[in-house]
Amino acid sequence: QFGPMRITSGFRCPNHPEERKKKRGGAHSIGHAADISYSNGSQLYILISQAPRVGMKGIGTGKSFVHLDDKHPYLDRGNGVAWTY
């Protein structure tokens, strides 16, 4: 439904600046998250409405991207959650 997606951040190694800030690596560091850019409100709506259908339980929205992750058990974060940056 969305068409081609531009992933702005996928897997991150432990030395990535965002991962080094954390006590324990996040979903990106284990390959279970992606940040996807969008350019308008309808693309944002499609991303966040379809994400749960494909197993995404963590949904964070920014001004130009959406973070999606599957809440891998390693992360110990329980049920789904949504947030804004």
Side-chain angles (χ1 to χ4, degrees), residues 70-85:
D70 67 356
K71 299 292 201 171
H72 189 274
Y74 164 82
L75 300 171
D76 192 34
R77 294 193 303 187
N79 294 325
V81 64
W83 65 91
T84 59
Y85 291 96

Side-chain angles (χ1 to χ4, degrees), residues 35-67:
D35 296 341
I36 302 166
S37 67
Y38 66 90
S39 58
N40 59 55
S42 63
Q43 285 183 333
L44 172 60
Y45 175 78
I46 291 168
L47 279 168
I48 62 175
S49 66
Q50 296 301 311
R53 292 184 180 182
V54 296
M56 298 297 109
K57 297 177 183 175
I59 303 171
T61 59
K63 291 181 181 179
S64 62
F65 74 97
V66 174
H67 166 95

